[in-house]
Amino acid sequence: MTTEKTILRALAGETLPTPPIWMMRQAGRYLPEYKATRAEAGDFLSLCYNPELAAEVTLQPIRRFGFDAAILFADILLLPQALGMDLWFETGEGPRLSTITKADDLSVLKPVDEIHETLNPVYETVGILSEELPKETTLIGFAGAPWTVATYMIAGRGTPDQGPAHKLKAKDRATFEAVIDLLTEGTIAYLSRQIEAGAEVVKIFDSWAGSLQGDDFKSYSLEPTRKITEAIKAKHPGVPVIAFPRGAGEGYVGTHSATGADCIALDDGVTAEWAAANLQTGGCVQGNLASYHMVSGGDELVSETKRICEAFSQGPHIFNLGHGITPDADPKNVAIMIETVRNS
Ligand code: CP3
């Protein structure tokens, strides 16, 4: 492959001497420059819908650290908002949405072809980024997986155990499946437009996949991701897909073929050694340093970073955290992690 973009080479299956690196939530509250731009925007959602400022915060960690990929600054909950649900963020607490708990509530949802009216600023952000990013930096677009987004739409907020979504699935499967199907269609349309605007890779975040057991994991995590991946690849051949069935545990085995994704992102609940033997044999993997090392630092940060690089060194690997970096992280630890990956 002739591209300078190391992320695209790893996604195409190449084993590189040094893994490319980026970080989930790399634009975020651990960076003073992010906090300044967010204050300028007013609040989080105003930042997401302001193309100039959303592009600015996306570029900040690239300028500061030289990551190999930039991830579009937006949120997985913009899609339910575009579908007609109310969305707001309670300071210090997290997202709040109107809820879907019965068949009647589906009537507030708009047809998929109307989502772009709300989401156009996001595509504009992608357009700005594809002009402004350094030529070696890959631009990643993203969306939430249907199950994860549905858990917020059903509960109206984040929940520790996704109880309300499990309850709707148990009591009124038709309504639950209507939500999953609508989100599957909406996600295909949303990601396609991100690609048309300039996204080179897309990532599907199934942050709550780990609470689905057995057949439910297959039907509501793997299968919607497979449908989205298949549709994206039919419309945009050659655009790689990263799937993140977070918390899947042993369920990670076989997820490249079950989803059709080019790369599987790993949380820190499985060891790199286990994943190298049981998952990386199927394709590229991304991960999986525990986020707390960005807070705690020290020798353990260096030794764990080296261990993960070593464990995945025999196959395609993109270095990342197991989940997003937290607001209490020290940017100095990020720099140490990058230096360790690039020099080990
Ligand atoms: O990774 C990136 O830098 C790109 C931008 C991005 C954000 N959210 C920005 C954000 C991405 C890819 C997401 C995905 C997202 N959003 C997920 C899936 C990944 C995951 O973390 O498991 C989920 C579940 C959400 C929903 C969401 N957004 C929650 C639950 C919260 C509140 C919790 C928190 O961290 O405050 C958000 C807010 C949010 N999304 C922030 C950022 C930078 C913090 C908002 C702020 O500035 O106050």
Side-chain angles (χ1 to χ4, degrees), residues 25-26 29 34 38 44 71 74-76 142 152 207 323:
R25 293 271 169 103
Q26 62 190 22
R29 287 160 293 179
Y34 169 85
R38 188 180 179 285
F44 174 66
I71 183 158
D75 198 83
I76 65 165
F142 73 92
Y152 290 93
S207 304
H323 200 192

Side-chain angles (χ1 to χ4, degrees), residues 76-236:
I76 65 165
L77 300 177
L78 303 187
L79 178 60
Q81 188 177 35
L83 283 165
M85 300 196 63
D86 295 331
L87 171 69
W88 69 102
F89 280 79
E90 292 286 345
T91 314
E93 287 189 36
R96 296 288 182 274
L97 299 89
S98 43
T99 57
I100 297 201
T101 55
K102 54 186 185 308
D104 279 357
D105 298 334
L106 295 171
S107 63
V108 307
L109 298 174
K110 297 182 197 167
V112 162
D113 58 4
E114 290 177 23
I115 62 175
H116 307 301
E117 250 168 73
T118 304
L119 296 169
N120 268 326
V122 176
Y123 313 138
E124 241 181 89
T125 307
V126 175
I128 297 171
L129 288 167
S130 58
E131 300 275 311
E132 293 196 1
L133 278 168
K135 61 182 183 326
E136 67 278 9
T137 314
T138 303
L139 178 55
I140 303 176
F142 73 92
W147 159 251
T148 288
V149 177
T151 64
Y152 290 93
M153 290 170 72
I154 294 164
R157 59 192 298 158
T159 45
D161 57 359
Q162 297 71 58
H166 285 289
K167 184 174 166 193
L168 186 68
K169 169 161 63 65
K171 301 258 183 278
D172 182 355
R173 182 119 353 187
T175 300
F176 172 77
E177 290 190 344
V179 175
I180 295 287
D181 290 347
L182 179 72
L183 287 171
T184 302
E185 286 311 306
T187 304
I188 293 166
Y190 182 37
L191 290 177
S192 292
R193 290 289 280 266
Q194 291 182 29
I195 293 165
E196 283 152 24
E200 300 169 285
V201 173
V202 291
K203 178 166 174 185
I204 303 167
F205 284 89
D206 212 349
S207 304
W208 299 119
S211 82
L212 290 168
Q213 307 290 315
D215 284 346
D216 279 354
F217 175 65
K218 291 194 185 115
S219 306
Y220 304 124
S221 177
L222 298 179
E223 186 54 17
T225 297
R226 188 197 65 74
K227 280 189 192 153
I228 294 163
T229 303
E230 184 179 71
I232 292 295
K233 287 185 175 287
K235 280 193 185 172
H236 305 284

